């Protein structure tokens, strides 16, 4: 199917191979060879997106040459291809992959920025000024999920600049789970009064999802526990 002249059939074959079988995938090396051979010649944007997504589902042990090949698609301006590219690079701690994600984190498409920021902030452990500055560039992103992914990534890297951003979000009563996870990452007890005030404000408001209230209470409990442990050391 991946060798069909019909792009729809090629796409189906690529998609099936991407998640066929239990992990580790059977015939993984053979499948990756098919993918990278196709990446050399494929021009259909829809098929390229599937190829890149499929690589992303199987990218744990890519070679440097394979990673560089994937990163070369940064020059492709097609929106579908960029979407596939950012997924292909998630979780890869490689300098070229990180540089490519940094560029994608400022893309005009919000969902591409979101995934790239998630990749930089939460899917790798590397911590350097280039990653932190790329994340900082997104803390005021008009797309809320992208902004929260950036906040989370900076909190994980103990970047103190993010404390003011988190405080502003809490003052505006943002209760998203990503923000609450970022609060816990900071281990900053100064957020506790704001968190408690926000919980008291919404606790009797039946229009607010009870799960948000539970997440907020869990955040307060976890931060209280963490800060108590720090103070007793």
């Amino acid at each position: 199917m991946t060798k069909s002249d019909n792009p729809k059939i090629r796409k189906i074959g690529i998609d099936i191979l991407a998640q066929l079988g239990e992990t580790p995938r059977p015939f993984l090396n053979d499948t990756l060879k098919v993918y990278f051979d196709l990446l050399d010649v494929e021009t259909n944007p829809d098929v390229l997106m599937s190829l890149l997504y499929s690589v992303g589902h199987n990218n744990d042990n890519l070679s440097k040459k394979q990673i560089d090949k994937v990163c070369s698609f940064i020059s492709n301006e097609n929106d579908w291809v960029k979407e596939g590219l950012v997924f292909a690079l998630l979780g890869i701690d490689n300098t070229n992959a990180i540089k490519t994600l940094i560029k994608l984190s400022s893309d005009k498409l919000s969902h591409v920025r979101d995934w790239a920021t998630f990749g930089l902030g939460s899917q790798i452990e590397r911590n350097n000024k280039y990653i932190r500055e790329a994340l900082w560039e997104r803390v005021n992103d008009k797309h809320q999920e992208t902004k929260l992914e950036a906040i989370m990534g900076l909190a994980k890297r103990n970047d103190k600049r993010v404390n003011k951003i988190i405080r502003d979000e809490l003052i505006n009563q943002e209760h998203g789970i990503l923000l609450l996870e970022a609060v816990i990452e900071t281990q900053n007890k100064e957020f506790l009064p704001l968190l408690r005030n926000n919980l008291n404000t919404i606790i009797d408001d039946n229009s607010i999802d009870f799960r948000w209230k539970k997440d907020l209470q869990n955040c307060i409990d976890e931060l209280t526990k963490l800060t108590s442990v720090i103070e007793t050391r």
Side-chain angles (χ1 to χ4, degrees), residues 90-93 115 117-125 156-157:
L90 293 181
I92 298 179
D93 191 345
W115 277 95
T117 306
F118 167 64
L120 291 169
S122 298
Q123 294 298 289
I124 55 173
E125 297 299 322
K156 285 184 65 174
R157 287 163 177 80

Side-chain angles (χ1 to χ4, degrees), residues 67-129:
I67 294 170
D68 289 345
K69 178 64 182 179
V70 170
C71 290
S72 71
F73 284 90
I74 191 66
S75 61
N76 192 307
E77 287 298 316
N78 183 276
D79 293 347
W80 290 352
V81 175
K82 284 192 291 186
E83 181 180 320
L85 173 57
V86 72
F87 186 83
L89 296 176
L90 293 181
I92 298 179
D93 191 345
N94 164 278
T95 299
N96 196 11
I98 291 169
K99 286 180 178 177
T100 304
L101 283 177
I102 286 174
K103 184 170 183 179
L104 290 166
S105 71
S106 61
D107 193 79
K108 67 179 193 245
L109 297 175
S110 60
H111 65 282
V112 170
R113 293 199 309 277
D114 183 19
W115 277 95
T117 306
F118 167 64
L120 291 169
S122 298
Q123 294 298 289
I124 55 173
E125 297 299 322
R126 193 180 299 202
N127 182 8
N128 60 44
K129 65 178 181 179

Side-chain angles (χ1 to χ4, degrees), residues 178-189:
L178 274 173
L179 182 68
L180 298 180
E181 288 175 357
V183 167
I184 293 170
E185 286 286 343
T186 68
Q187 299 186 7
N188 187 343
K189 67 179 182 180

Side-chain angles (χ1 to χ4, degrees), residues 16-28:
I16 291 171
L17 286 174
Q19 301 185 68
L20 181 65
E22 300 291 334
T23 302
R25 310 277 189 211
F27 310 110
L28 176 59

